[in-house]
Amino acid sequence: DQQVKQNSPSLSVQEGRISILNCDYTNSMFDYFLWYKKYPAEGPTFLISISSIKDKNEDGRFTVFLNKSAKHLSLHIVPSQPGDSAVYFCAASAFNNDMRFGAGTRLTVKP
Amino acid sequence: DGGITQSPKYLFRKEGQNVTLSCEQNLNHDAMYWYRQDPGQGLRLIYYSQIVNDFQKGDIAEGYSVSREKKESFPLTVTSAQKNPTAFYLCASTEGVAGANVLTFGAGSRLTVL
């Protein structure tokens, strides 16, 4: 049972444009959401997070939006840079510290 | 520097053999996790532990076993009962047992069954 879903396995954007990565979840007990970035043969690294009491969190070029009623969150990267090319994982956790990940979206930013 | 060390980085196993993947952290984190990554399937939770001598099954615990005898160590044994063990295994940890926590990951261990 996939509680966190990333329905787009890949996304390609031009350098300087906006990248929008989407994530849906099914478990209403999730109260904290995170995005991780992963390069091949490495562990994921934390990028940005949002608590369920907020609907937006911004950190430089990265913004995460949360729509609790739709159980949907998205990551916006503006402007996109070639160094942003990686696999992005959406993750969600509940009060019991059980963190679940989506399948990932491979972002390619073309120069 | 604080972090998570996974070893070995690459491991080859013959069918029918048990293997143990090591995970050590010096971050003083309470909770530790094991995930498995397969192409197109993201990270799937195998086991997690919130405190010493206690652990819970994740979504795909069958064929795996863990122990948490020390706070800093959370080894994963891939048993011969695991039918498709070839994968990239990631260990992670986080401080605290509830609330908003960021996972810190190790560099991973790639297991290949010959």
Side-chain angles (χ1 to χ4, degrees), chain A residues 32-105:
Chain A
Y32 192 60
F33 305 88
L34 310 91
W35 285 93
Y36 286 82
K37 180 179 179 179
K38 185 181 182 302
Y39 294 111
E42 294 182 8
T45 54
F46 170 70
L47 189 60
I48 192 170
S49 64
I50 188 167
S51 163
S52 61
I53 62 173
K54 294 185 175 182
D55 54 19
K56 176 182 175 181
N57 187 29
E58 194 171 350
D59 183 3
R61 296 186 297 114
F62 303 92
T63 302
V64 55
F65 295 92
L66 175 63
N67 182 335
K68 283 180 293 184
S69 60
K71 294 191 176 65
H72 177 83
L73 64 156
S74 61
L75 173 68
H76 293 210
I77 306 174
V78 182
S80 300
Q81 300 174 354
D84 296 330
S85 296
V87 176
Y88 289 79
F89 289 100
C90 170
S93 69
F95 68 95
N96 63 352
N97 229 20
D98 180 2
M99 189 167 291
R100 302 304 175 101
F101 286 77
T105 297

Side-chain angles (χ1 to χ4, degrees), chain B residues 52-114:
Chain B
V52 175
N53 291 323
D54 186 47
F55 45 83
Q56 288 77 41
K57 292 182 179 180
D59 295 328
I60 55 167
E62 185 176 351
Y64 299 97
S65 66
V66 292
S67 63
R68 188 86 187 276
E69 296 177 1
K70 299 185 297 182
K71 185 176 183 178
E72 58 270 21
S73 179
F74 192 41
L76 174 74
T77 296
V78 185
T79 75
S80 56
Q82 170 48 238
K83 297 306 177 188
N84 186 21
T86 295
F88 188 57
Y89 290 88
L90 286 161
C91 178
S93 71
T94 185
E95 59 183 338
V97 293
N101 294 305
V102 174
L103 290 180
T104 300
F105 283 88
S109 294
R110 182 166 296 281
L111 172 63
T112 303
V113 174
L114 304 174

